[in-house]
Amino acid sequence: MAVSDPVADMLTKIRNASRAGFDRVDIIPSKLKLEIIKVMKNEGYIKNFKKIQQDGKNYIRLFLKYDETEKPIIHGIEKISTPGRRIYSGYKEMPRVRNGYGTVVVSTSSGVTTGKKAAEKKIGGELICSIW
């Protein structure tokens, strides 16, 4: 079955794997997914990631992060824009996730970044997802 929203599929795989207590999850790669994963790594939501090849297919392997009580660092991850409804925001109206405790991932003209960094650079863009 073809996936109509590959980014939402990736976020669902990450959400389900962290709730189930898995230490890693494999994602089918794309440029946008890789940039989102880099933002997640920089913000401390995942331990690490690496590109692997298995059975002749390429994957991105994410290593999930847990705290000292084995609870997942990612409490929630939610897609904002969908293929049928794109949501854009200017830098002045950039949303805050969980009163500043979460992160919004934004696709801007200068690449994929967090909402906080986009607002500092005074650029807006498409809201991809929120992580807390």
Side-chain angles (χ1 to χ4, degrees):
M1 185 171 113
V3 178
S4 63
D5 191 357
V7 174
D9 184 53
M10 175 190 76
L11 298 176
T12 300
K13 283 183 180 183
I14 295 170
R15 182 185 321 110
N16 291 344
S18 72
R19 285 183 182 168
F22 294 168
D23 59 338
R24 66 179 191 216
V25 63
D26 292 340
I27 306 291
I28 298 171
S30 75
K31 289 180 183 178
L32 178 59
K33 289 180 191 178
L34 185 62
E35 293 301 315
I36 293 169
I37 290 168
K38 286 179 183 176
V39 169
M40 292 173 71
K41 166 81 169 98
N42 292 338
E43 293 296 310
Y45 290 108
I46 59 174
K47 279 185 198 173
N48 209 348
F49 67 93
K50 68 178 180 179
K51 297 177 185 178
I52 62 167
Q53 191 166 12
Q54 197 172 31
D55 300 329
K57 295 181 182 178
N58 293 323
Y59 293 99
I60 301 172
R61 180 164 285 169
L62 293 176
F63 297 97
L64 301 174
K65 196 173 184 181
Y66 297 91
D67 64 7
E68 56 276 348
T69 61
E70 298 301 319
K71 291 186 180 178
I73 296 295
I74 298 175
H75 296 289
I77 187 166
E78 195 173 87
K79 184 86 162 91
I80 298 174
S81 286
T82 62
R85 192 185 91 213
R86 303 288 185 192
I87 299 179
Y88 298 92
S89 176
Y91 74 93
K92 291 181 182 176
E93 299 87 28
M94 200 60 68
R96 291 176 52 186
V97 179
R98 300 286 170 161
N99 206 18
Y101 286 106
T103 304
V104 64
V105 180
V106 183
S107 176
T108 67
S109 57
S110 56
V112 177
T113 186
T114 65
K116 189 179 281 188
K117 290 178 184 173
E120 287 171 2
K121 294 179 185 176
K122 295 190 176 183
I123 50 176
E126 180 184 351
L127 305 177
I128 298 175
C129 66
S130 61
I131 309 165
W132 65 95

